[in-house]
């Protein structure tokens, strides 16, 4: 086992000698990464991933260093330093040089491994991303964390959709099914859903596993064809689901020492068409066990208890297994070395012992007893041994031909019967059957020695002659042809060898050893006698074909002869391309199922059958170009008809012209070393090789001499150029010196002129400076003046504002004073009214006091004076009553007149409003009160006035007022009469008030006169 320390190197070789992994461990190389700091330590690898070719591995350590390991080119390169640990890695399938890396900051970055540049930076996760799954087309990618899964478009690096779930139901894994447009999501509650990638609609959900074998799923794996899903967890049980039937079809129980499963991955095989049968199971003890899911047999183990595996990944073509060990190192395993013992074909069950050649054996001769070993059978069978069989020698001395038995235990006759029944072998097992029919030895060492010789000189410029789009396919074709050329020298000069090998290279491009051995077996058996007339086409083989065609279809052969078409045109193009130009892939595979299952002469009969089945279009052709086009392009021909015609020709062709008698039987390649191939005119090939070598040497000598002459001519030219350059340089130096002198003089003149200009500029600057200072001073003074003016304007504005405020305050105060004056006026009028009332009361009180004083005086006066006074007072009272009676009579008369008018207009005044009636009533009440007050004033000073008269006056007035009140309640029919009525009442009210006021004045004057009269009488 080789070990490589990356150290601080950014690139280098993975191994320094060719690795030869042992079968017991299969390790190609052990890769460690140790730092060379003050305290050296091992940097642990965390994640890794293979690209689509399987020859390139990417891995990242916990410090963010990402390396690309080219297992085919034996190189490693440091492509990126992310400065943080990576949690997941994946290659971008569409752009081969780009890869995705999930980092510890929850972001995903895309880098280019060639340019080492950042392509894109994707964010959106809120927890660590532990899985990246890329679609088979390379357009989409799914990144998965514990709380969400996000679908990204790798063309625009934009998030297309996001899967959100409840926190109670976490995500275990979300990934694309291989070669499908389906997304599978697995959750922690063991629910598994399948979604359509384009529409994201749910296609189906797997049912719950049985309770008897309940496993909490944590790891998953899918076969390459997407039909079987393997799931495991913290148990030693494996569940295998059929995704087509959507049911659990098998439960595998691992050994008891397996308590938990940490990782699952299927081991691809080139010949199983994607239905992988071997499953790798990494358990908790660090050992990865490979189990056949059909036979449930443990095949091989990698890792150990001392050197456990923490994670593992298998290349897409199934050649390598990369594992990160528990110590942080990286192991690369060879699957071929691990499965070398398993892939060995079983020994034949029947062994035949042959006698020495040319010896006569007795008829009652030798009996041989041959026993075979133990054979594994199904569990129901109880027969574990095969009984001994006694093989008797034939009387003729010939044993049964063992040609019908192939190395893998398959019977060739049974395969031929199967082939005739179905027309072709099953696609799933075709490659396995071919390997068994051809009995390929798989000489890895011999093939490696041929490959190690490198690309042959004859095929260095193969891409110029055969421009193939796929670089991988071109590389495999170049390597296969080089191995054939190193095996036998004639193949380096065979012009049609790339056409012969290309279909097999395209079919076996992922397994170059099988490709080489298939082509070599084809050349040894089906290309017999092709090289006897080298470098010309095999005339003998073409003659065989022409003889068979002449026997079965003379008309077609005569048509070829008439148009000068030879077998080199109608037979040789089909042979040198092995029908790959005229058949599709499926037709070609179907044809070679029959070719490899029959005698080598079957291929020659196929050429004849192809011509006879195409006789109708060929008979219609007359130009040579038409014939050439027909045999170099695909035609409308049923290959099944051709194959049936081949079997018919094989059975009906006479023995004398049958190629079966001219060609040898099938011979497989020898084990260990490939046989020597010298079935060609060696002297011609050697002569051509010698001539080619001589021409190459002459060409090399000529090229060497021409190179010497060219070198000498180049030296002479260089010397001449140097001399011319020296002279030119001297001339340039002289001219430069003169130019510099002139420049110095010009510079001095310029300097003087510049000094003069500088002095004038200084003067101008001084004058400008003085002007500027003056202008600055003036500007400063103007600025101060402006500031003062602004200050004055501000003060004026302030004064105006204050004056305006004062005017407003004065106006407001004037308005307040006016309002106060009005209030005072109203109060004055109120007070005057109150004073008048108080004065009247005071006058009344004075009158009362005077009356009391007069009463006292009257008591002192004698009876004469009292009687005289009584008579005078009685006279005055009578006069007063008379006047009051007149006033009352006048009022009663006026009321009677109005009452008559009211009665006359009673039918016109029915619509009087209630408000006017109320106002009239209040006015009448006021008048009544005034009249009562006047009557009371008149009654108080004269007690001799009889109350009956006042009562009669009041009673005589009350009915009148009531009549007026009733008349006021009559509604007016027109608005004009109502207004006239109001005007009349207002006029009458004013007259009455004026009369009452005059009456009071007269009464007051009379009272005053009466007050003065007693004083006069007393004197």
């Amino acid at each position: 086992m080789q070990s490589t320390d990356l150290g601080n190197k950014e690139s280098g070789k993975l191994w320094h000698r060719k690795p030869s992994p042992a079968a017991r461990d299969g390790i190609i190389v052990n890769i460690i990464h140790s730092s060379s700091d003050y305290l050296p330590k091992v940097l642990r690898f965390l994640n890794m991933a293979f690209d689509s070719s399987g020859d390139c591995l990417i891995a990242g350590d916990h410090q963010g260093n990402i390396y690309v390991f080219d297992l085919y080119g034996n190189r490693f390169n440091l492509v990126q330093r992310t400065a943080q640990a990576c949690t997941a890695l994946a290659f971008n399938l569409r752009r081969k040089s780009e890869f995705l890396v999930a980092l510890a900051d929850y972001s995903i970055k895309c880098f280019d491994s060639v340019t080492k540049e950042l392509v894109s930076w994707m964010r959106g996760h809120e927890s660590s991303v532990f899985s990246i799954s890329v679609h088979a087309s390379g357009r989409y990618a799914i990144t998965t964390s514990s709380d969400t899964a996000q679908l990204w478009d790798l063309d625009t690096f934009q998030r297309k959709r996001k899967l959100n779930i409840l926190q109670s139901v976490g995500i275990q894994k979300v990934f694309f099914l291989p070669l499908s447009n389906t997304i599978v999501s697995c959750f922690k509650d063991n629910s598994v859903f399948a979604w359509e990638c384009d529409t994201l609609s749910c296609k189906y959900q797997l049912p719950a596993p049985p309770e008897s074998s309940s496993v909490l799923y944590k790891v998953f794996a899918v076969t390459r064809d997407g039909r079987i899903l393997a799931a495991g967890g913290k148990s030693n049980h494996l569940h295998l689901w059929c995704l087509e039937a959507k049911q659990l079809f098998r439960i595998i129980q691992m050994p008891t020492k397996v308590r938990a499963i940490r990782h699952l991955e299927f081991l691809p095989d080139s010949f199983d068409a994607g239905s992988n049968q071997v499953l790798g199971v990494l358990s908790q003890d660090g050992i990865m066990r490979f189990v056949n899911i059909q036979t449930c047999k443990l095949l091989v183990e990698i890792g150990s208890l001392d050197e456990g595996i923490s994670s593992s990944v298998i290349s897409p073509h199934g050649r390598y297994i990369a594992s990160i060990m528990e110590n942080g190192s990286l192991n690369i395993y060879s699957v071929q070395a691990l499965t070398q013992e398993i892939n060995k074909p079983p020994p034949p069950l029947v062994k035949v012992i042959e006698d020495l050649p040319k010896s006569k054996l007795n008829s009652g001769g030798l009996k041989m007893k041959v026993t075979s070993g133990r054979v594994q059978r199904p569990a129901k069978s109880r027969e574990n041994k095969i009984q001994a069989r006694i093989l008797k020698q034939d009387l003729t001395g010939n044993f049964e031909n063992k040609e019908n038995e192939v190395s893998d235990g398959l019977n060739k006759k049974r395969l031929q019967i199967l082939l005739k029944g179905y027309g072709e072998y099953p696609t799933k097992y075709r490659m396995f059957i071919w390997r068994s029919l051809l009995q390929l030895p798989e000489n890895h060492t011999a093939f490696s020695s041929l490959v190690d010789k490198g690309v042959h000189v004859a095929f260095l410029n193969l891409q110029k002659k055969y421009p193939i789009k796929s670089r991988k396919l071109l590389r495999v074709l170049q390597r296969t042809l080089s191995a054939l050329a190193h095996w036998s020298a004639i193949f380096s000069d065979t012009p049609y060898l790339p056409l012969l090998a290309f279909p097999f290279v395209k079919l076996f491009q992922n397994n170059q050893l099988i490709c080489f051995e298939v082509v070599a077996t084809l050349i040894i058996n089906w290309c017999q006698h092709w090289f006897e007339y080298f470098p010309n086409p095999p005339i003998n083989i073409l003659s065989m074909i022409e003889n068979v065609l002449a026997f079965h279809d003379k008309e077609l052969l005569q048509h070829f002869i008439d148009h000068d078409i030879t077998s080199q045109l109608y037979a040789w193009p089909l042979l040198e391309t092995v029908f790959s130009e005229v058949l599709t892939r499926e037709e070609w595979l179907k044809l070679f199922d029959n070719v490899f299952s029959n005698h080598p002469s079957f291929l020659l009969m196929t050429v004849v059958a192809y011509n006879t089945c195409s006789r109708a279009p060929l008979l219609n052709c007359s130009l040579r170009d038409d014939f050439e086009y027909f045999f170099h392009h695909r035609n409308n021909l049923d290959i099944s008809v051709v194959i049936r015609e081949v079997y018919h020709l094989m059975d009906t062709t006479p023995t004398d012209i049958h190629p079966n008698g001219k060609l040898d039987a099938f011979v497989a390649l020898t084990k260990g070393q490939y046989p020597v191939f010298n079935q060609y005119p060696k002297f011609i090939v050697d002569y051509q090789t010698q001539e080619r070598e001589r021409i190459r040497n002459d060409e090399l000598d000529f090229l060497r001499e021409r190179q010497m002459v060219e070198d000498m001519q180049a030296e002479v030219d260089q010397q001449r150029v140097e001399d011319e350059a020296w002279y030119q340089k001297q001339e340039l130096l002289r001219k430069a010196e003169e130019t510099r002198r002139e420049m110095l003089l010009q510079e001095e003149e310029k300097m003087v002129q510049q000094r003069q200009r500088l002095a004038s500029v200084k003067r101008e600057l001084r004058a400008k400076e003085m002007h500027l200072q003056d202008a600055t001073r003036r500007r400063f003074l103007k600025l101060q003046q402006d500031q003062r003016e602004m200050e004055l304007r501000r003060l004026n504005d302030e004064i105006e504002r204050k004056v305006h405020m004062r005017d407003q305050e004065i106006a407001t105060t004037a308005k307040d004073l006016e309002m106060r004056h009005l209030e005072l006026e109203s109060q004055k009028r109120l007070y005057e009214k109150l004073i008048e009332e108080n004065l009247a009361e005071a006058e009344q009180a004075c009158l009362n006091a005077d009356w009391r004083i007069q009463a006292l005086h009257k008591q002192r006066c004698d009876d004469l004076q009292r009687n005289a006074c009584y008579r005078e007072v009685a006279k005055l009272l009578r006069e007063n009553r008379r006047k009051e009676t007149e006033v009352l009579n006048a009022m009663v008369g006026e009321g009677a007149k109005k009452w008559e008018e009211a009665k006359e207009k009673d039918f016109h005044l029915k619509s009087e409003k209630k408000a006017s009636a109320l106002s009239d009533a209040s006015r009448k009440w006021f008048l009544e009160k005034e009249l009562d007050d006047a009557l009371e004033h008149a009654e108080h000073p004269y007690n001799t006035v009889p109350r009956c008269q006042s009562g009669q006056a009041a009673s005589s007035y009350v009915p009148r007022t009531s009549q007026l009140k009733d008349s006021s309640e009559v509604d007016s029919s027109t608005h004009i009469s109502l207004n006239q009525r109001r005007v009349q009442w207002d006029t009458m009210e004013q007259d009455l008030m004026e009369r009452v006021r005059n009456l009071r004045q007269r009464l007051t004057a009379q009272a005053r006169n009466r007050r003065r009269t007693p004083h006069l009488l007393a004197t």
Side-chain angles (χ1 to χ4, degrees):
M1 180 183 70
Q2 299 187 49
S3 181
T4 301
D5 188 359
L6 303 182
N8 291 332
K9 294 182 291 184
E10 294 189 358
S11 63
K13 290 186 176 182
L14 286 175
W15 52 77
H16 297 282
R17 64 180 184 275
K18 184 179 178 181
S20 56
R24 58 182 180 84
D25 57 6
I27 299 178
I28 298 177
V29 64
N30 172 253
I31 303 172
I32 61 175
H33 186 197
S34 61
S35 63
S36 59
D37 297 336
Y38 180 72
L39 293 175
K41 61 179 180 180
V42 176
L43 302 180
R44 299 174 56 86
F45 287 101
L46 297 180
N47 289 281
M48 56 193 170
F50 277 100
D51 66 349
S52 57
S53 67
D55 294 329
C56 191
L57 173 70
I58 187 170
D61 58 23
H62 70 276
Q63 286 191 353
N65 301 313
I66 300 177
Y67 289 87
V68 172
F69 302 100
D70 186 0
L71 303 180
Y72 180 78
N74 186 23
R75 298 290 299 177
F76 72 88
N77 289 287
L78 176 64
V79 295
Q80 198 58 235
R81 286 190 174 97
T82 61
Q84 54 182 326
C86 59
T87 57
L89 286 170
F91 266 100
N92 190 344
L93 298 182
R94 176 175 292 187
R95 294 175 288 275
K96 305 296 183 182
S97 61
E98 294 181 2
F99 62 91
L100 300 173
V101 54
L103 301 175
D105 61 353
Y106 312 152
S107 65
I108 302 101
K109 293 184 178 180
C110 180
F111 294 101
D112 194 307
S113 60
V114 177
T115 61
K116 302 181 181 181
E117 294 179 352
L118 176 65
V119 178
S120 180
W121 192 352
M122 299 174 284
R123 294 183 176 180
H125 283 277
E126 296 179 357
S127 59
S128 179
V129 176
F130 57 79
S131 173
I132 300 177
S133 176
V134 182
H135 192 264
S137 64
R139 182 179 178 183
Y140 302 112
I142 294 178
T143 57
T144 308
S145 59
S146 59
D147 57 350
T148 184
Q150 300 186 11
L151 178 64
W152 303 88
D153 190 339
L154 297 184
D155 291 337
T156 61
F157 295 100
Q158 298 293 324
R159 184 172 64 189
K160 186 178 179 182
R161 198 62 71 91
K162 181 178 181 181
L163 172 64
N164 292 320
I165 61 169
L166 298 176
Q167 293 182 356
S168 58
V169 183
I171 298 177
Q172 289 289 9
K173 192 174 183 180
V174 181
F175 56 93
F176 287 104
L177 284 183
L179 305 177
S180 174
N181 209 27
T182 304
I183 300 174
V184 176
S185 59
C186 310
F187 302 96
K188 292 184 179 179
D189 58 354
N190 275 16
S191 59
V192 180
F193 293 86
W195 312 84
E196 183 67 28
C197 178
D198 295 331
T199 61
L200 294 178
S201 59
C202 183
K203 297 175 67 176
Y204 58 84
Q205 178 184 2
L206 296 182
E211 296 181 357
S212 59
S213 178
S214 180
V215 179
L216 190 62
Y217 295 155
K218 290 185 177 296
V219 289
F220 305 88
V222 184
T223 57
R224 299 288 172 177
D225 57 3
R227 295 180 178 179
I228 298 177
L229 171 68
K234 198 172 183 181
S235 172
N236 64 343
H237 283 191
L238 277 176
H239 287 188
L240 299 180
W241 292 86
C242 179
L243 297 182
E244 291 181 345
K246 304 175 187 59
Q247 62 181 0
L248 181 67
F249 73 93
R250 183 165 299 165
I251 299 176
I252 300 177
Q253 183 176 0
M254 298 295 294
T256 55
K257 53 188 174 182
V258 176
R259 298 189 303 274
I261 298 174
R262 294 164 56 183
H263 183 69
L264 292 174
E265 190 160 0
F266 281 95
L267 181 64
D269 192 349
S270 301
F271 304 102
D272 58 6
S275 59
N276 311 133
Q277 304 296 319
V278 180
L279 176 62
V281 182
L282 177 61
S283 57
Q284 88 288 341
D285 55 1
I287 299 175
M288 193 167 188
R289 300 169 174 85
F290 291 89
V291 182
N292 190 307
I293 62 175
Q294 298 296 333
T295 62
C296 298
K297 181 180 178 182
L298 181 63
L299 303 179
V300 70
E301 295 180 353
I302 60 174
S304 62
L305 296 176
D306 297 331
E307 296 181 357
I309 298 174
S310 62
S311 63
S312 185
V313 64
I314 303 175
S315 62
H317 52 51
R319 296 181 188 173
Y320 306 110
I321 302 174
S323 299
I324 297 177
M325 312 306 290
E326 292 180 352
N327 58 7
S329 62
L330 181 63
N331 280 357
I332 309 296
Y333 296 89
S334 172
V335 177
Q336 183 178 0
L338 291 172
T339 59
Q340 185 174 1
E341 295 296 329
I342 301 173
N343 292 334
K344 282 186 177 180
L349 300 181
V350 178
K351 298 182 179 179
V352 179
I353 300 178
E354 297 181 357
D355 197 3
L356 295 174
K358 297 181 181 180
S359 61
K360 295 180 180 180
L361 300 175
N362 190 6
S363 59
L366 183 64
K367 292 183 179 179
M368 293 157 290
K369 184 178 182 181
V370 180
T371 59
S372 64
R374 193 177 297 268
V375 179
Q376 185 177 1
R377 295 182 180 273
K380 293 182 180 180
S381 177
R382 295 183 179 179
E383 297 179 0
N384 295 328
K385 296 184 179 179
I386 296 179
Q387 297 178 357
R389 302 182 66 182
I390 299 175
L391 303 178
K392 293 184 179 181
Q393 189 177 9
D394 196 3
L395 294 175
T396 61
N398 294 327
F399 290 92
E400 183 182 359
N401 189 4
K402 62 178 181 178
E403 186 186 23
N404 294 328
E405 295 294 333
V406 294
S407 60
D408 289 339
L410 300 177
N411 188 280
K412 189 174 182 179
K413 287 187 175 180
R414 295 182 64 184
L415 289 176
Q416 289 176 347
I417 295 172
L418 178 67
L419 183 61
K420 288 183 179 180
Y422 292 96
E424 59 180 337
Y425 292 128
T427 304
K428 185 176 181 180
Y429 301 104
R430 174 178 281 125
M431 300 298 105
F432 173 72
I433 294 173
W434 283 16
R435 291 171 63 180
S436 301
L437 290 173
L438 300 179
Q439 301 178 23
L440 302 181
E442 298 187 15
N443 299 327
H444 294 277
T445 305
F447 178 71
S448 299
S449 64
L450 293 175
V451 172
D452 291 342
K453 293 180 181 180
V455 180
H456 198 274
V457 179
F459 304 107
L460 286 174
N461 299 322
L462 183 66
Q463 68 275 8
K464 294 181 179 179
K465 189 174 181 181
Y466 299 99
I468 301 175
K469 186 177 181 180
S470 174
R471 296 182 61 86
K472 177 185 177 181
L473 193 61
L474 177 63
R475 187 168 62 248
V476 175
L477 177 62
Q478 192 177 37
R479 193 174 300 169
T480 303
L481 297 178
S482 299
L484 291 171
H486 290 308
W487 175 42
S488 181
I490 191 173
F491 297 128
S492 63
D493 298 324
T494 306
Y496 57 84
L497 184 63
L499 301 175
L500 180 72
F502 180 74
F504 298 97
V505 170
K506 191 172 182 180
L507 188 63
F508 298 99
Q509 57 181 325
N510 293 327
N511 195 332
Q512 299 177 26
L513 171 63
I514 300 299
C515 178
F516 171 79
E517 293 185 351
V518 169
V519 176
T521 305
L522 178 73
I523 292 173
I524 290 177
N525 293 279
W526 282 271
C527 299
Q528 297 180 38
H529 309 295
W530 280 26
F531 307 98
E532 293 179 356
Y533 293 91
F534 184 83
N536 299 315
I539 300 174
N540 49 352
I541 299 297
L542 299 179
S543 298
M544 294 180 192
I545 296 173
E546 188 172 354
N547 293 334
V548 175
L549 181 62
F551 179 80
H552 290 283
D553 198 339
K554 293 181 180 180
E555 181 183 358
L556 181 60
L557 180 61
Q558 187 62 38
H559 180 72
F560 287 154
I561 294 172
D562 294 342
H563 292 86
D564 197 17
I565 303 300
T566 63
S567 57
Q568 295 185 13
L569 184 59
Y570 66 80
W572 180 236
L574 301 177
L575 290 176
E576 66 180 358
T577 60
V578 287
F579 293 88
S580 61
E581 282 187 348
V582 297
L583 298 179
T584 62
R585 175 185 172 88
E586 290 74 16
E587 294 174 345
W588 187 86
L589 292 173
K590 190 175 182 179
L591 173 63
F592 269 83
D593 284 343
N594 293 271
V595 170
F596 287 152
S597 301
N598 290 278
H599 192 269
S601 61
F602 190 90
L603 184 63
L604 305 183
M605 290 297 188
T606 306
V607 177
V608 179
Y610 188 85
N611 282 271
T612 57
C613 292
S614 306
R615 66 188 313 274
L618 289 174
L619 291 175
N620 292 327
C621 294
S622 59
L623 298 177
R624 184 180 182 85
D625 294 339
D626 295 340
F627 287 102
E628 290 180 355
Y629 182 87
F630 184 86
F631 290 105
H632 285 280
H633 293 81
R634 294 176 183 174
N635 302 292
N636 188 13
L637 189 63
D638 188 1
I639 193 63
S640 300
V641 176
V642 176
I643 294 173
R644 286 197 298 270
E645 181 66 20
V646 173
Y647 282 109
H648 175 71
L649 295 178
M650 291 286 288
D651 296 336
T652 59
T653 302
T655 309
D656 55 343
I657 62 173
H658 201 295
N660 195 6
K662 310 295 189 298
L663 301 178
D664 297 332
F666 174 80
V667 177
L669 296 177
T670 56
K671 187 73 173 177
Q673 293 293 332
Y674 296 116
V676 177
F677 185 82
N678 54 3
Q679 299 176 5
Y680 57 88
K682 194 171 183 302
F683 68 95
I684 295 178
V685 176
D686 293 342
Y687 176 75
Q688 287 185 351
T689 305
Q690 292 174 2
E691 285 296 317
R692 190 180 299 105
E693 188 67 25
R694 184 181 60 79
I695 292 172
R696 185 180 295 109
N697 292 331
D698 293 342
E699 185 177 359
L700 291 175
D701 294 339
F702 171 73
L703 292 175
R704 193 180 302 108
E705 291 177 359
R706 189 176 68 178
Q707 185 66 31
M708 291 176 60
V709 172
E710 289 178 355
D711 293 340
M712 293 176 63
Q713 185 65 31
E715 291 180 359
V716 172
D717 294 340
Q718 184 177 2
Q719 186 66 32
R720 185 175 64 254
V721 169
E722 290 178 354
D723 293 343
E724 291 178 358
W726 187 81
Y727 286 118
Q728 290 178 359
K729 190 181 295 183
Q730 294 297 324
E731 184 67 22
L732 290 173
L733 289 174
R734 185 181 60 79
K735 291 181 179 179
E737 186 176 0
E738 293 177 357
T739 305
R740 287 191 181 89
R741 287 198 184 97
E742 293 177 358
M743 289 174 62
L744 287 174
L745 293 175
Q746 293 176 1
E747 290 295 331
E748 288 179 356
E749 293 177 359
K750 289 180 180 179
M751 186 66 69
V752 172
Q753 294 176 0
Q754 287 179 359
R755 286 176 180 174
Q756 293 175 356
R757 286 197 298 271
L758 183 60
S760 61
V761 168
K762 284 183 178 179
R763 289 192 297 272
E764 292 176 358
L765 288 175
R766 176 64 63 184
K768 286 183 180 180
E769 185 177 0
M770 294 174 64
H771 289 302
L772 287 174
Q773 288 179 355
D774 189 13
T776 303
R777 186 168 55 254
R778 287 195 301 270
R779 192 181 299 111
F780 180 71
L781 293 174
K782 188 176 182 302
L783 180 62
Q784 287 184 344
Q785 184 178 359
D786 293 340
Q787 288 180 352
R788 290 175 182 174
E789 290 179 355
M790 288 176 64
E791 186 69 21
L792 290 174
R793 284 197 297 271
R794 187 178 62 81
L795 292 175
N796 291 331
D797 294 340
E798 185 70 21
I799 291 169
E800 291 178 357
R801 186 176 61 82
K802 289 184 177 181
V803 169
H804 182 67
M805 290 177 63
R806 186 184 62 189
D807 294 341
Q808 289 181 349
E809 290 177 357
I810 291 171
T812 305
T813 305
K815 291 180 180 179
D816 293 340
L817 291 175
E818 289 178 359
M819 293 297 295
R820 186 63 177 168
H821 180 69
L822 294 174
E823 291 177 0
L824 291 175
E825 287 291 334
S826 61
Q827 289 179 2
K828 180 181 178 182
R829 287 193 296 270
L830 180 62
Y831 290 155
E832 286 179 353
K833 187 175 180 181
L834 292 175
I835 289 170
E836 289 178 355
E837 293 177 357
N838 292 332
L839 183 59
E841 292 177 357
E843 289 177 354
Q844 185 66 34
C846 292
L847 290 175
N848 294 333
D850 291 340
W851 291 341
R852 291 189 186 97
I853 293 170
Q854 288 176 6
L856 292 174
H857 285 291
K858 287 176 182 179
Q859 290 177 3
R860 293 174 184 173
C861 292
D862 43 75
D863 293 332
L864 294 175
Q865 292 178 354
R866 187 179 298 114
N867 291 333
C869 289
Y870 283 160
R871 286 193 298 271
E872 186 178 359
V873 170
K875 184 179 180 180
L876 290 174
L877 287 174
R878 284 193 300 272
E879 185 68 25
N880 192 12
R881 272 197 307 274
R882 185 182 60 78
K883 292 179 180 181
E884 286 180 358
T885 303
E886 292 176 358
V887 171
L888 290 175
N889 291 332
M891 291 176 63
V892 169
E894 186 70 20
K897 291 179 182 180
K898 297 297 180 182
W899 179 249
E900 292 297 332
E901 292 178 1
K903 282 183 177 182
E904 292 174 356
K905 299 178 181 180
D906 187 30
F907 64 95
H908 296 293
L909 302 175
K910 295 295 185 178
S911 59
E912 181 73 14
K913 291 183 179 181
K914 189 176 181 179
S916 10
L918 294 174
S919 62
D920 293 341
S922 63
R923 289 192 187 98
K924 294 172 186 176
W925 177 79
F926 178 73
L927 293 175
E928 290 173 357
K929 185 177 179 181
E930 291 295 330
L931 291 175
D932 293 338
D933 291 338
L935 293 174
E936 287 176 358
H937 284 297
E939 291 173 355
H940 279 294
Y942 305 103
N943 293 327
T944 59
V945 179
R947 300 177 70 80
C948 62
Q949 294 180 359
S950 65
Q952 291 177 357
S955 61
S956 64
Y957 178 72
V958 170
R960 304 291 181 149
T961 55
S962 62
Q963 291 176 359
L964 291 174
K965 183 176 181 181
D966 294 335
S967 65
S968 64
E969 294 176 354
V970 180
D971 296 331
S972 176
S973 61
T974 60
H975 185 66
I976 299 173
S977 62
L978 179 61
N979 292 333
Q980 292 176 357
R981 179 69 174 170
R982 288 179 179 176
V983 171
Q984 291 174 0
W985 277 105
D986 292 339
T987 306
M988 183 184 68
E989 181 181 3
Q990 292 178 1
D991 294 338
L992 292 175
M993 289 297 293
E994 184 66 28
R995 291 177 184 178
V996 170
R997 192 177 297 110
N998 294 332
L999 179 60
R1000 283 185 177 180
Q1001 290 177 0
R1002 286 196 301 272
L1003 293 173
T1004 304
Q1006 291 176 3
R1008 287 178 181 175
N1009 293 329
R1010 284 194 297 271
R1011 181 183 177 187
R1012 292 173 184 171
T1013 303
H1015 293 284
L1016 295 175
L1017 293 175
T1019 56

